[in-house]
Structure formats: C-alpha cells, structure tokens
Amino acid sequence: MRIDWNHYDPGSHFDELLAAPGQPRPAARGLTQYLRSLSDADLAARKAAAELAIVEMGITFTVYSEGQNIDRAWPFDIIPRVIPATEWTQVERGLRQRLTALNHFIDDIYGDQNIIRDKVFPAEVLAQSKNFRPQCVGVRPAYGVWAHICGSDLVRAADGTMYVLEDNLRVPSGVSYMLENRVVMKRVFPELFEAQTILPVDAYPTQLFDTLAAISPRPLDYPQVAVLTPGIYNSAYFEHAFLAQRMGAELVEGSDLTVGDDDCVYMHTIRGLQRVDVIYRRVDDLFLDPDVFNPDSQLGVPGLMRAWHKGTVALANAPGAGVADDKVVYAYVPDMIRYYLGEDAIIPNVPTFLCHEPKALDHVLANLDKLVVKPANESGGYGLLIGPHASRKERAEFAARLKADPRNYIAQPTLDLSTVPTLCDGRLEPRHVDLRPFVLQADRTNVTAGGLTRVALRKGSLVVNSSQGGGSKDTWIVAEADG
C-alpha cells in the first residue's frame, strides 16, 4: 500500500507539510509527491536504513531518568519538516534581532544597568535572579557579546504564527544532532537532495570556529581553541566530542587545564604546556572555577575566572550570560528590543504571565487547568506543569509552590503546537513539533538554516524534549518553486 495523503488528517492543528488532507503546502509538494510513490515496504526499508546509519555513526544520547547513564541510539524520524525559504528569511532576521538585544541587555546588566535606571526592566527581578553572577560585574567581553551561541526554541500555533518559546543562553545543546540528522537523510533519501534546493547546514562547525576565533585575546595568531566538557557521563558528551572533532579543536576536561603565574590558561600535552586562547565551555557557571564558585567542583579550573578577568583567555558563552536564560527575563525581551534597538520584535513571544505580579498570580492560580507553568531556570522540560494534562493533586502541589516562590515561575497558555507527519508503527500520523535554530554572534552573526526539529513521539503529547523521550527530524528550508 502507498501513502494516501487524503487519509492523513492533522485535525485542527497547523501541519507543516499539509494545509488539509490531500493538500500539500507549496514548499512540501515535492516531498509529499515523492513519499506517495513509496510503498510501505520502501518506507520501512528507508526507516531501517536510517536506524542502522545512526548506530554505525555512533549517534547517541543519554536519558538520566532511565536510572543509569546509559547511552542509547538517537531517536530520529525520517519524515522531515519543511519550511519555505521566504518565511525563514523573516525568522532569521528575528533571531538576529533577538540575540543582539539580549547581548545588549547582558552587557548593560553587568555594566551601568541603564535598563533598570530607565525602569524598563525591574530591579527586583534582577535581585532575585539565580543566574546573575556578581563576579562578572565590570567585565567587558569582546564586541560586548556575552552569549556567543544561542538556541532559541520556536513553536508554531494553530493560526500559523511562529513564536519564541524560550531562549537558551547558558550551554544550549542539540546542534550536533541537527548536523547528523542531515547526514542520515542524505544517506537515506539522496535523490531528494538532487531534485530540490534544500539549504545546507554543514557550515556550522566552521562558523562556530570563526566565532570563537574572533574573540581570541591573540587575534594575530591562529588561536588555540578547546572545548571544555564535564566528561563522558554528561548527557551531551557526544556533542562535545563531535564539535571538537569537527572544529579541529581540543576536547578537554578541567584537569587538562591549568592557570599559570602569568594568568594565562595552559593545556597539558605530551609536548609540555600549551597556551589556550578560547574555551568553548560546556560546564555550568557554578562549576567553572572552584576558587570563585563551587569550591567542591572537580569539573572546572582553579584560576580560570582570574584569567578571564585579565583578558588572557576568552570564554564562550561568557560566565554570567545565563542571567538572560531565565524565563522571567524572557518576558521582557520585546521591551529590550525596543529599548536597545528601537524596533518592534520580529518574532513575538508566547503570551506570558509573570507570577511575581499579584494580579497575574491570581489569574494563574484560578486557571491552572488551562495553563503551562514553568520554573524560571530549569531546562530540558523538567519541573513544569501542563495544566490540562495534570491531576487535581498535581495542580494543588504546584499552587503551593507558586505561592511560596512566585518569582520562580511563569505561566503560558497551552499552545496548539504544529504537527508533522511522523512514521508510527508503519503509518504516518501527526505529531507535535518545536524547532531550535542556533545563532552564533561575535564580530558577525550567523543563523543556521532551520535547526533541530524535536518531535513528541507519543500521540497527543506536547513534550518534545529529547531528555524526556522525544525524537527529532531533519529540517528543510526549501524554495517554494522547488517544492
């Protein structure tokens, strides 16, 4: 039996490939026509080929909730998401605008704090920020950029509007899977890449290296770049090793580095100590330097913050950048864009209730069964309440948490996330998705063509996080004439 798109019904959701049963969107026309030519056996064979490629390539991911830190094969669905190139041009502009404003904000917060003085951003929100680092006040990183790598999560609502759901500015992960998804798709469906203009993503490692090189304290030399990982037991270790290898950078742990009496950072090598110029750190702030942050940290490097203050080494993302990776701060990004850039936000925020505001808190408590409540500084989909799917007991427990610490929570309406056809038990069914594009910023800004599409593999589920059983898809930015 072959795929009959007339029998694929996404219901009231916005489907990324089909406008209605049997009606592919213009940019997805080529893909849907091709898939219609495949038999069930053909599709199953392509799926098996993709799964084998993932195992052969060693693309793995760790789910801590399984009780042991055991790697498992990366969950991947072979039906890609398609976005028209004309729409992506606008999204890309919006992402550039957003990260530029966020970096202005971070630089201002650790500098003169004009945005607070002008009453655009509340002082009390900053005062209770868990990711504001007083140790960073007065530092001026190159170009005024603190967040060099950003992954902003986008979602599309039922009316087709794309929203920013959150900004990940500490150690955003997932880009390696975006790159590997494309490699797998080219193995499984090579003919589709010959027939259509699908924007490439493989320049990312070069762009990442160029971004890091641009902030080197020794701009006249070829910089020594290192990726600092917590080690093999970290859930994102695959990505750390992948990016280091693709950039030609060294993959190091804290014990591989030392800070000399000259306040420079050196790497232990078989040829002796070698100076390091830029560290792409995948270690959280509080574990970076036991002399300054957590004294028990075995992951960081004693003296690293001193070297950063002296300007002998660059850190990406800069310590303290996480002050903007706070879901309460997220609500103020449109105000930041107006304040720093004099523009309206190109990509809107999801409407957000700030629970530290008494009226908003009353509304949230009265409507917990309709809202999604999120802690301000968690990631990976942990610690949130999806009101419509929660039990009465769970909502009561969350109400108590909100009353005890309202600053730590926001609430948003439950969006009817868009869907993409997904291969489930041999047939195509709609599954909800989001999208994480990656933005690089230093002396210039680069945005990936598309990003990592994450998919909720369980029917009706809105939880797309890979750490909670979600999967992924390749994302194609396609000219409509090629669709």
Side-chain angles (χ1 to χ4, degrees):
M1 183 181 293
R2 299 182 187 278
I3 295 172
D4 183 353
W5 292 112
N6 290 306
H7 292 159
Y8 174 83
D9 184 5
S12 61
H13 312 300
F14 182 103
D15 193 86
E16 301 286 345
L17 299 194
L18 280 84
Q23 297 180 28
R25 298 187 185 279
R29 192 170 296 133
L31 172 65
T32 55
Q33 286 176 349
Y34 174 82
L35 292 173
R36 196 171 53 194
S37 72
L38 300 180
S39 66
D40 286 351
D42 292 333
L43 211 52
R46 303 295 177 106
K47 181 175 186 291
E51 291 172 349
L52 180 60
I54 287 170
V55 172
E56 287 180 341
M57 295 162 66
I59 310 171
T60 60
F61 183 73
T62 301
V63 178
Y64 291 133
S65 59
E66 289 180 344
Q68 301 178 55
N69 295 341
I70 299 175
D71 287 342
R72 68 175 190 178
W74 176 243
F76 175 69
D77 183 73
I78 61 173
I79 309 300
R81 175 195 197 143
V82 176
I83 298 174
T86 49
E87 180 186 14
W88 188 253
T89 299
Q90 186 73 353
V91 172
E92 183 178 324
R93 284 184 56 230
L95 292 170
R96 289 172 182 269
Q97 177 198 57
R98 193 172 184 92
L99 184 55
T100 300
L102 283 165
N103 272 312
H104 278 304
F105 169 74
I106 302 168
D107 202 44
D108 188 14
I109 285 298
Y110 289 112
D112 296 334
Q113 300 192 344
N114 291 320
I115 196 169
I116 292 177
R117 190 191 60 213
D118 292 337
K119 301 187 184 308
V120 176
F121 185 82
E124 58 270 24
V125 172
L126 181 65
Q128 297 180 56
S129 169
K130 292 183 179 179
N131 291 310
F132 177 75
R133 307 288 177 226
Q135 300 88 344
C136 299
V137 171
V139 176
R140 299 304 304 270
Y143 310 108
V145 172
W146 294 68
H148 310 90
I149 302 105
C150 173
S152 292
D153 292 344
L154 307 180
V155 294
R156 193 195 297 277
D159 64 356
T161 302
M162 194 87 84
Y163 293 93
V164 178
L165 185 64
E166 64 183 49
D167 302 295
N168 297 283
L169 297 167
R170 285 176 284 181
V171 283
S173 62
V175 74
S176 61
Y177 300 112
M178 177 196 77
L179 296 167
E180 294 288 59
N181 285 352
R182 178 59 55 84
V183 173
V184 172
M185 285 299 287
K186 285 185 172 180
R187 283 192 184 191
V188 176
F189 293 110
E191 59 273 35
L192 281 171
F193 289 85
E194 294 177 357
Q196 302 182 91
T197 305
I198 301 167
L199 297 190
V201 296
D202 52 3
Y204 181 85
T206 301
Q207 293 171 346
L208 175 59
F209 182 86
D210 290 346
T211 298
L212 299 174
I215 61 173
S216 169
R218 296 191 294 175
L220 296 179
D221 296 324
Y222 191 82
Q224 178 66 59
V225 176
V227 178
L228 176 61
T229 176
I232 60 172
Y233 295 108
N234 185 270
S235 64
Y237 181 76
F238 168 84
E239 178 156 301
H240 307 163
F242 176 92
L243 291 175
Q245 189 268 334
R246 292 299 177 93
M247 287 194 294
E250 300 293 337
L251 180 66
V252 299
E253 297 184 22
S255 57
D256 296 320
L257 302 177
T258 188
V259 178
D261 293 337
D262 57 358
D263 293 332
C264 294
V265 178
Y266 294 91
M267 175 174 54
H268 297 283
T269 77
I270 59 174
R271 296 181 295 276
L273 294 178
Q274 184 173 354
R275 183 172 169 182
V276 175
D277 300 297
V278 185
I279 298 175
Y280 178 25
R281 53 97 176 196
R282 300 295 297 256
V283 174
D284 287 342
D285 283 357
L286 295 180
F287 297 92
L288 267 181
D289 182 347
D291 288 350
V292 176
F293 298 117
N294 185 343
D296 298 325
S297 173
Q298 301 292 313
L299 304 177
V301 185
L304 183 58
M305 287 293 288
R306 186 177 78 248
W308 181 62
H309 273 271
K310 294 279 188 179
T312 60
V313 69
L315 300 178
N317 287 342
V323 69
D325 188 340
D326 177 321
K327 294 178 180 62
V328 175
V329 174
Y330 152 90
Y332 292 92
V333 174
D335 296 332
M336 294 176 199
I337 292 172
R338 277 190 290 274
Y339 180 73
Y340 293 115
L341 307 180
E343 303 170 358
D344 289 328
I346 295 171
I347 312 175
N349 274 17
V350 175
T352 300
F353 299 99
L354 298 170
C355 295
H356 68 271
E357 296 177 351
K359 286 185 179 178
L361 178 60
D362 290 344
H363 176 82
V364 171
L365 291 172
N367 293 278
L368 273 179
D369 59 333
K370 306 179 185 67
L371 298 169
V372 177
V373 183
K374 301 177 179 178
N377 293 290
E378 292 288 343
S379 61
Y382 292 104
L384 59 78
L385 176 85
I386 302 178
H389 297 170
S391 66
R392 183 172 295 181
K393 179 183 178 185
E394 289 170 330
R395 291 197 291 269
E397 290 173 353
F398 244 79
R401 294 182 203 173
L402 291 174
K403 292 174 186 174
D405 187 10
R407 161 62 177 87
N408 194 39
Y409 291 94
I410 65 163
Q412 296 170 330
T414 308
L415 292 183
D416 192 10
L417 300 186
S418 64
T419 59
V420 177
T422 301
L423 196 55
C424 304
D425 297 326
R427 55 180 295 182
L428 294 179
E429 295 184 359
R431 290 292 185 269
H432 295 292
V433 295
D434 77 352
L435 177 66
R436 177 175 291 181
F438 295 88
V439 189
L440 300 172
Q441 192 162 85
D443 58 335
R444 66 192 70 181
T445 302
N446 289 293
V447 182
T448 52
L452 178 66
T453 289
R454 302 183 299 177
V455 54
L457 295 175
R458 290 195 305 275
K459 187 175 184 178
S461 173
L462 299 173
V463 180
V464 299
N465 302 83
S466 307
S467 54
Q468 298 201 46
S472 69
K473 291 173 170 287
D474 195 12
T475 308
W476 291 2
I477 307 301
V478 177
E480 292 191 42
D482 292 330

